Amino acid sequence: MTRVVADISLSLDGFVTGPDPDPDNGLGVGGEALHTWAFSDDPDDRRILREATARSGAVILGRRLFDVIDGPKGWNDDSGYGAREVGKPAFIVVTNSPPQSVRLTDLDWTFVTTGLPDAVAAARKRAEAASAQRDQDLDVVLMGGGATIGSAIDAGLVDALTLHLAPVVLGAGTPLFTGAAPRTLVQRSVTSTSTATHLTYDIP
């Protein structure tokens, strides 16, 4: 069964970027520390990244995040989605209008201009097709940014939330939850490494 899983790294004080994020400094001041775990050689960090990318049938992201990763200082062969792992899933971008050009032309991009629910539906369709092709259940992964994940959770579009809690305090930046409705999640797993505490919750 295809699930929608929000998956994001954040600081101890709840920020998914440091201060002043922009296409030239995508994670803001100090924000690179949030993703130290993704480049770690710790066996548990590697396993968590490998398993998550292997289950990715399609990936959703917002336009601001797309502009960062497709920008000149964005993804490359060493830092793209699951760069040291398997496969390249379809990417679905939620945006008001498609970009005039795309730098990362080796990736499968779809730009949805009719809102987040339609983007989730499009991603689910791609993930289900990939599941049938590979004969295994694959997820839709909602990778961010923070506002996109928060909106999707509030809209009831997300089945599970995976947080990679980095041992860093950023003081300011982009918060994951802003004005979110109160809710209780169901904790499913906790894995601690030297670089992060990996937490997974079901969202009732």
Side-chain angles (χ1 to χ4, degrees):
M1 181 178 178
T2 296
R3 304 178 306 156
V4 178
V5 180
D7 189 311
I8 197 164
S9 300
L10 79 164
S11 65
L12 292 175
D13 48 348
F15 295 106
V16 297
T17 76
D20 303 320
D22 59 40
D24 287 330
N25 188 22
L27 290 174
V29 178
E32 293 295 334
L34 298 175
H35 289 171
T36 299
W37 73 271
F39 301 96
S40 164
D41 289 324
D42 182 284
D44 283 328
D45 287 330
R46 301 305 314 156
R47 174 183 58 79
I48 286 166
L49 183 63
R50 181 177 63 253
E51 291 176 354
T53 54
R55 290 196 313 270
S56 300
V59 177
I60 301 173
L61 58 153
R63 178 57 186 269
R64 286 185 182 179
L65 182 54
F66 167 80
D67 287 342
V68 169
I69 64 177
D70 196 56
K73 296 184 179 180
W75 282 355
N76 54 44
D77 290 342
D78 296 321
S79 65
Y81 192 88
R84 294 196 287 170
E85 303 301 335
V86 299
K88 292 180 180 178
F91 292 90
I92 313 297
V93 181
V94 188
T95 181
N96 289 327
S97 61
Q100 293 184 347
S101 63
V102 174
R103 179 178 65 88
L104 298 170
T105 56
D106 60 325
L107 299 180
D108 180 357
W109 298 105
T110 298
F111 298 92
V112 175
T113 60
T114 51
L116 187 53
D118 286 346
V120 171
R124 188 183 294 277
K125 185 175 181 180
R126 296 296 299 273
E128 288 172 349
S131 296
Q133 188 176 44
R134 290 166 56 177
D135 195 26
Q136 69 178 98
D137 290 333
L138 299 176
D139 296 331
V140 170
V141 177
L142 183 55
M143 66 173 288
T148 301
I149 287 179
S151 296
I153 291 175
D154 284 344
L157 299 171
V158 180
D159 300 308
L161 173 65
T162 295
L163 300 176
H164 309 283
L165 187 62
V168 59
V169 175
L170 293 174
T174 305
L176 177 55
F177 296 113
T178 303
R183 66 175 64 237
T184 300
L185 309 185
V186 180
Q187 185 166 291
R188 290 303 184 196
S189 67
V190 179
T191 302
S192 295
T193 71
S194 62
T195 58
T197 302
H198 306 280
L199 303 140
T200 298
Y201 304 90
D202 286 342
I203 302 179

